[in-house]
Every structure is written in C-alpha cells, then in structure tokens.
Amino acid sequence: MKVLILGGFLGSGKTTALLQLAHYLVERSQSTQKTKVVIVENEIGETGIDDKVLRGSGLQVEDLFSGCACCTVSGELTSAASRIRKDFNPDWLIVETTGLAYPRLIRDNLQAALGLSSRICILVDASRWKRLLRPMYNLLSGQIVGADVVLINKTDLVNEETLAQVEADIAAFDPLPRVMRISAQNRIPAAVWAQVLGE
Amino acid sequence: MEKHDHSHHHHHENDNCDCPACKQEQAQPNWIKMHQHDDAAVISARCTFLARPETAGDVIAEALQELAAVIAEKGGIIGHIKATLESTTLEMFSLTDRAVSRKKQPNETMTLQLVAIVFLLVPEEAKKLVEKIVLKKLQSLS
C-alpha cells in the first residue's frame, strides 16, 4: 500500500484535485485488488462536507472528523491506516488533510507508527496567495516545506506575473519540491499525476 | 511553528460516541458548535427546516454570501465556508379501489450542514454571525 498525503490551505482545491486523481488511479490500475484506492478524509469541522462529495462519486472513503491528523487525531489516523492496510490492502491510500495540517508531521507519524513511507503533494491557491501570504505565513510555509510536489492551482484566475511570484515564494520556502501549474477545474494531465505519484 | 490546541472533545460522525453530551447533541436536529484550532475558529452547525426545494438553495447561497461579506467587513479572513443541503421528499399514495390518490407536500424537510473556518475574528463572534445570518434565516422559512 502506497500512501499519498494531499495537503494545502483551506480552499486550495484539494478535494477537486482528489476527485480527478482517484478516478485516474482506478482507471489505469492493472491491479486485481478489489479496492484500488481508499481515501481518508480528514476534516476539522464536527460534521463532514467533502466526504459526501467523494462518496457521491463512488469512492471508498473513511472519515476522520473533528480534529487534525497531524496533531489532535494523529492516533486515529494511524489506526485507520493500519486497518485499511489489513482489510483492503489497496494500491493507494490517499489522505486528504485538513487545510490547517502540516503534512510532513503526518508523514513522520505514519513512518514511525507503521513503517509506511508517504509522498506529499501540496495544493496552493494562486488566486488568494498574495492576500493570505502575510497573515498565514507560518502555516503556508510549514505546509510546503518537505513536500515532494507543489501544485499551483487556479492558474486560470491569475496572470503570469502573479504565478511567477507564487513560484518564487514557494522556492524561497523550500527549493526542493517539484512545482507545477494546474487548473483543477479542467482535466489535469497524466504527466502531472506521474510527478505527484513519484513515477 | 506548530502549536496545537488539544482542548476540544472529539467524536466522529456515525461513531455513536457514548458520552452523554454527544448522544444528546446527535439526537437534536439543530446545533451549532465552535472550537479553536491554532489561530482558526471552527464553527460547525446543523439546521433542519421546512422549505420549498426551488427556493432553499438560493436562500442559503445569499445567506452565505452575506456571512462572507460581514466577516470581511469585520477584518476576518475566511479559511473556507462549506455546506451541504440534503432534502427528504414526502409523497403519500393511497387507494381504496384501483385509482391511486397521490399527495405530495410542497415543502421538503431539509438539512443544512455547515462548517465555517475563520481567522482573525473572536471565535464567539464568528459563531454568533453564523447563527444570526444563516441559521435563523433558514429556521424562519419553516
């Protein structure tokens, strides 16, 4: 079971991108596993919203509400991941984090508790980046540092100058992640998913 | 960098948490709760009301727009505001011979579930705004 942690600030387009990714994985899979992808949907609120959207698309979803998997419900996440591996052993476990999570802490927890290595993909909202950067600086930088891939989303809503600035800010946080531009409202190319999945 | 608030009680939807507070809350059609996570105020709410399906969506969209505008006016930053609306249609069928009589209620029972995550506002104030601008408006439809 491979693990992908999909993170990014609130409203960055995680669920929209995840819908595409999950269907991409299911469609191209050669695996004989009955369950190819399981999603753990972590929401900070006390009621689920995105899980309904994902289930409505026919995906297998496990809920983790009312806390953040990087801290307050980290134990519940490792329990869920262990159970999913035992019960389904899917090709991929995708953890959609809350918009307040630091994904590398989740990666560290899964590694320490279960020996699972994870990839981290962070989504960034290009249209709100400038407005959020100062008040949310610690959170935005903390989410990006240590990521494998950063997807700059909503590129259709901003100009080239803004995109170049977002890329420069991301590189200043951490020069190592592969940074790619997308618009999750449209079809995301397979080449992007190959980078996200580390293929 | 990472400071975390572990103070609020956790339960998971459909987990049938046995604590008295959760049992009582889950049994109620309407509730609103707030907790803080780091610098964010997280407001969760459920509201059940009766309304015509063709108008409920518009009323909710307008209310959420108004909520967003007031939060911005007060200097808050919206992390996100998300909601789902589910409805139950009731149609009765009756017959005594072969002709079927059908009666459909013009109003449907609707359940709104909402989560608003807001920064830079006093959490209690953010909660009151959700109550005043969204929930009371929907309950007045019934």
Side-chain angles (χ1 to χ4, degrees), chain A residues 71-125:
Chain A
C71 50
T72 52
V73 292
S74 60
E76 284 91 333
L77 174 66
T78 50
S79 298
S82 175
R83 183 169 32 80
I84 288 164
R85 183 167 60 176
K86 179 169 168 279
D87 292 349
F88 304 107
N89 195 27
D91 294 343
W92 280 94
L93 168 64
I94 304 176
V95 180
E96 183 183 353
T97 72
T98 73
L100 304 175
Y102 296 92
R104 70 178 187 281
L105 298 182
I106 298 174
R107 177 171 61 191
D108 293 348
N109 289 340
L110 290 173
Q111 179 69 51
L114 302 172
L116 285 169
S117 59
S118 313
R119 286 187 65 78
I120 295 177
C121 172
I122 299 296
L123 274 98
V124 160
D125 177 356

Side-chain angles (χ1 to χ4, degrees), chain A residues 106-151:
Chain A
I106 298 174
R107 177 171 61 191
D108 293 348
N109 289 340
L110 290 173
Q111 179 69 51
L114 302 172
L116 285 169
S117 59
S118 313
R119 286 187 65 78
I120 295 177
C121 172
I122 299 296
L123 274 98
V124 160
D125 177 356
S127 68
R128 289 213 297 168
W129 180 259
K130 194 175 170 187
R131 203 175 346 146
L132 293 174
L133 186 56
R134 187 179 296 227
M136 299 293 138
Y137 187 90
N138 287 343
L139 181 54
L140 293 175
S141 61
Q143 290 179 334
I144 285 167
V145 172
D148 296 295
V149 177
V150 177
L151 299 181

Side-chain angles (χ1 to χ4, degrees), chain A residues 15-27 35-39 41 50-62 94 96:
Chain A
T15 306
T16 307
L18 174 54
L19 279 167
Q20 288 203 46
L21 173 59
H23 288 298
Y24 168 80
L25 285 170
V26 170
E27 283 163 16
T35 307
K36 297 173 174 64
V37 179
V38 175
I39 294 162
E41 183 62 28
D50 292 332
D51 65 308
K52 294 183 177 72
V53 176
L54 294 166
R55 277 202 192 84
S57 295
L59 298 168
Q60 172 130 5
V61 183
E62 301 268 328
I94 304 176
E96 183 183 353

